[in-house]
Structure formats: structure tokens, C-alpha cells
């Protein structure tokens, strides 16, 4: 694995095209940072790494299932609709002290998972930085279990399950 890079997960032609537009903005702002994509479609943009998703679900589960596949030790994960207009590589510096980072949701929470206090807000999973290590891989496994449970309760968002998993995890 290389040290730091930007990683997208995009399934379906529309989202791959969106990721390509985002990647162009990253390349303009930070020409030296490596870019990777996990996808089921052959991209037209030249990513440094392309990871095949052989059986995509075309939904939130694809993110959870593929975050650990990043080729970078320190990963800056962007949703496909993120656009960058300046150098943000210092986000990776946070990973010298922390295992994971994300901004809280603008309204703090959309769903209140059981066992999580109101004082621990919901996080936006559109931009997540993380150390791609065993602890993080374990976190994604737990996140998938929580997501599956919450989807069964008719909540299709991945952020409530991320919140619950992060609250229960030992990640710093």
C-alpha cells in the first residue's frame, strides 16, 4: 500500500462519470496525490488504481463493502459528488493522531439508533478519512452488520449505522 491517496467507490455509469468529474477537481488542486476507484464500470479517467467490484449492490452497501479495499495506508474517501478547489492533503495528517475522521451531519442526526446518546452526533459518510488497517477492517465488518440490521428496520441510509458502529468501536 502507498501512503496517502483519494479513494472513490462508484457503481453504475452515472456514478463513475460523477467520480471522474470529482477526480479531475482533485487532480487540479493536488496534482501529485494518487487516485483510486473501486467500480463495476471501466472508467474513462485515468485513475492510478482501479479496483473491480464484481457483484455490486448499487447502493450504500457498496461503500461499506469496499472501503477496506483502498490501496492507501491513509485514505481520503470521497463520495462521487465531492469537488475539491484547494489542497486538502493535510486531512491525512489527522491520521497521525486518529484512526478515522468525518464531519458531523448538518442536522446532527436523522435517525436515533438504540444505545447511542444524543451527544454523539451522526456523521456524514461522504468524506471519511481513515487508516486502512486491521482495526478499520474490523470496523467495516461491524458497520455492515449494523447497516444490515437497520435496513431491516426500513432505514436505508448508511449514516445511522456508521454512527452506531463508530460509537461502539475502539477506533480513535
Amino acid at each position: 500500500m502507498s501512503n496517502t491517496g483519494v479513494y472513490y467507490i462508484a457503481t453504475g455509469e452515472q456514478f463513475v462519470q460523477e467520480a471522474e468529474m470529482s477526480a479531475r477537481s482533485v487532480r487540479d488542486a493536488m496534482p501529485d496525490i494518487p487516485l483510486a476507484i473501486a467500480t463495476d464500470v471501466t472508467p474513462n479517467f485515468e485513475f492510478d488504481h482501479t479496483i473491480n467490484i464484481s457483484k455490486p449492490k448499487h447502493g450504500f452497501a457498496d461503500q461499506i463493502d469496499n472501503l477496506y479495499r483502498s490501496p492507501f495506508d491513509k485514505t481520503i474517501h470521497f463520495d462521487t459528488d465531492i469537488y475539491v478547489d484547494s489542497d486538502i492533503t493535510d486531512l491525512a495528517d489527522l491520521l497521525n493522531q486518529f484512526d478515522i475522521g468525518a464531519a458531523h451531519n448538518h442536522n446532527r442526526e436523522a435517525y436515533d439508533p438504540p444505545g447511542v446518546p444524543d451527544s454523539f452526533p451522526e456523521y456524514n459518510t461522504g468524506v471519511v478519512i481513515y487508516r486502512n488497517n486491521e482495526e478499520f477492517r474490523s470496523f467495516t465488518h461491524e458497520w455492515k452488520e449494523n447497516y444490515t440490521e437497520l435496513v431491516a428496520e426500513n432505514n436505508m441510509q448508511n449514516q445511522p449505522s456508521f454512527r452506531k458502529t463508530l460509537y461502539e468501536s475502539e477506533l480513535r
Side-chain angles (χ1 to χ4, degrees):
M1 272 193 263
S2 58
N3 194 27
T4 301
V6 173
Y7 181 52
Y8 296 92
I9 298 165
T11 55
E13 191 67 42
Q14 173 189 347
F15 292 106
V16 171
Q17 288 176 5
E18 204 171 77
E20 291 170 347
M21 287 179 16
S22 176
R24 282 184 191 90
S25 76
V26 172
R27 190 75 72 187
D28 288 345
M30 302 172 292
D32 296 327
I33 195 163
L35 302 171
I37 188 168
T39 183
D40 61 330
V41 175
T42 302
N44 293 317
F45 181 85
E46 183 141 348
F47 288 89
D48 299 292
H49 305 273
T50 301
I51 299 156
N52 183 51
I53 299 176
S54 60
K55 294 182 181 178
K57 296 172 183 71
H58 298 282
F60 293 118
D62 288 329
Q63 179 187 24
I64 302 166
D65 289 342
N66 290 284
L67 278 173
Y68 79 92
R69 297 180 72 197
S70 166
F72 310 116
D73 297 317
K74 293 179 178 178
T75 298
I76 302 169
H77 166 72
F78 286 151
D79 272 357
T80 60
D81 61 352
I82 301 297
Y83 301 94
V84 176
D85 65 3
S86 62
D87 188 329
I88 49 87
T89 53
D90 65 337
L91 281 176
D93 294 342
L94 292 171
L95 298 174
N96 295 331
Q97 290 292 322
F98 300 97
D99 299 310
I100 192 168
H104 69 78
N105 242 356
H106 68 283
N107 63 353
R108 293 191 51 86
E109 68 180 66
Y111 176 80
D112 195 18
V116 180
D118 289 340
S119 58
F120 192 82
E122 188 170 281
Y123 292 87
N124 184 324
T125 57
V127 176
V128 178
I129 62 170
Y130 57 94
R131 283 193 228 168
N132 195 16
N133 55 25
E134 270 312 308
E135 292 81 8
F136 182 77
R137 288 181 197 98
S138 177
F139 169 83
T140 61
H141 177 75
E142 294 298 320
W143 183 12
K144 178 65 182 252
E145 288 181 12
N146 285 330
Y147 175 75
T148 301
E149 180 181 314
L150 290 175
V151 164
E153 296 172 10
N154 297 321
N155 185 327
M156 299 304 289
Q157 298 287 329
N158 64 353
Q159 293 167 335
S161 55
F162 181 84
R163 177 182 176 206
K164 177 177 174 52
T165 309
L166 189 58
Y167 179 75
E168 295 172 347
S169 83
E170 300 207 6
L171 291 179
R172 183 172 170 189

